[in-house]
Amino acid sequence: ETIKPTGIVIIEGLHPMYDERVRELLDFSIYLDISDEIKFAWKIQRDMEERGHSLESIKASIESRKPDFDAFVAPQRAESDLVISVLPSDLLPEGEDTGKILKVKLIQREGLDTYEPAYLFDEGSTIEWVPCGKKLTCSFPGIKFKYGPDTYFDNEVSVLEMDGKFDNLQELIYVESHLSNTGTKFYGELTQQMLKLSDAPGSDNGTGFFQTVTALKIREVYEKITSKKVPAAVSA
């Protein structure tokens, strides 16, 4: 069967970057990296609380899949241009509320022709920022952002990190005003897009925040590759 490609081809699944022949055809690659602790907490919530599975069966299911995951899925992180890494929060004592308060990293490869990493305050600097105060409402355990250069599987990267969750998405504009290279076309577009999905899972934490940044950056990558301009979706 001959498959005729459209203008945009998305390859999604467990092994999209495993084959070198496929990797060579990709313009841009993204890996969603969920830590073992978060995967376990989420699977318990879904399979135990919602489907009635036992804790033992959940553990056995995870352990049975881990060797194949480590051999064929996890190595693709090293080949990715952008990684969204979801981890337990550092703002809570270890083991407390695992899976509900999250630390999320946006790991961006340096040196790409079509991608300029987003950054906080000053490009290339190393920053920790606790924005809670008069302009951003934060309930316990608060919010902390980090930014800085790093090395990830021998690749030079820039890392944006958010730990905690937003109480009021309207106030996200304050955080957006301190970010640069987010792929937005006008001031407030990132906040606007987050508000559109305010009822979606993760909309109040780093998973939704960095997925939205990623979507805006993909638009930017597309424009650079094709030399076409995509109009911003402006709310009435």
Side-chain angles (χ1 to χ4, degrees):
E1 180 184 359
T2 300
I3 300 175
K4 295 182 180 180
T6 60
I8 300 174
V9 177
I10 299 173
I11 303 175
E12 181 181 4
L14 292 176
H15 311 101
M17 292 168 278
Y18 184 77
D19 191 319
E20 184 179 357
R21 296 168 299 177
V22 176
R23 289 202 304 270
E24 291 177 351
L25 299 174
L26 300 176
D27 291 307
F28 193 74
S29 56
I30 302 168
Y31 186 99
L32 180 59
D33 185 23
I34 314 295
S35 70
D36 289 344
E37 299 95 327
I38 299 302
K39 275 190 278 191
F40 186 59
W42 285 354
K43 194 167 178 62
I44 285 178
Q45 180 179 352
R46 186 191 68 182
D47 291 355
M48 193 171 178
E49 297 178 10
E50 299 175 11
R51 300 180 179 178
H53 295 187
S54 68
L55 183 60
E56 290 73 19
S57 68
I58 294 171
K59 288 181 178 179
S61 174
I62 292 174
E63 290 302 318
S64 67
R65 297 173 183 175
K66 197 171 189 316
D68 282 345
F69 178 86
D70 291 342
F72 303 111
V73 179
Q76 295 172 93
R77 292 175 295 180
E79 307 295 341
S80 300
D81 298 321
L82 188 148
V83 176
I84 299 176
S85 179
V86 184
L87 302 151
S89 174
D90 289 335
L91 302 176
L92 293 169
E94 185 175 352
E96 183 179 324
D97 209 25
T98 301
K100 294 183 179 179
I101 304 296
L102 302 172
K103 177 175 71 175
V104 185
K105 295 183 178 184
L106 187 68
I107 303 170
Q108 310 163 93
R109 185 178 293 204
E110 292 279 3
L112 300 177
D113 292 335
T114 57
Y115 186 93
E116 297 179 8
Y119 62 90
L120 179 65
F121 289 111
D122 183 30
E123 187 174 14
S125 60
T126 300
I127 291 169
E128 289 190 14
W129 181 42
V130 178
C132 304
K134 293 182 179 179
K135 295 184 179 180
L136 191 72
T137 306
C138 300
S139 58
F140 181 82
I143 297 175
K144 178 183 280 190
F145 283 90
K146 292 183 181 180
Y147 162 73
D150 205 346
T151 302
Y152 186 76
F153 293 102
D154 296 324
N155 296 313
E156 296 300 315
V157 297
S158 288
V159 181
L160 267 174
E161 177 184 310
M162 176 186 167
D163 197 346
K165 64 179 184 177
F166 299 110
D167 285 354
N168 183 355
L169 283 181
Q170 296 280 358
E171 298 174 344
L172 177 58
I173 190 69
Y174 174 60
V175 174
E176 181 178 351
S177 69
H178 291 82
L179 292 168
S180 298
N181 274 359
T182 56
T184 57
K185 290 182 177 289
F186 58 88
Y187 178 71
E189 185 181 13
L190 174 56
T191 301
Q192 180 192 87
Q193 295 303 315
M194 287 285 289
L195 287 169
K196 285 182 179 179
L197 300 173
S198 59
D199 294 330
S203 62
D204 61 350
N205 63 42
T207 59
F209 183 56
F210 287 139
Q211 284 182 72
T212 304
V213 172
T214 298
L216 295 170
K217 295 297 287 184
I218 289 173
R219 180 181 65 187
E220 185 178 75
V221 169
Y222 172 79
E223 291 182 337
K224 289 183 178 181
I225 291 172
T226 64
S227 298
K228 297 178 181 178
K229 292 297 181 182
V230 180
V234 181
S235 295

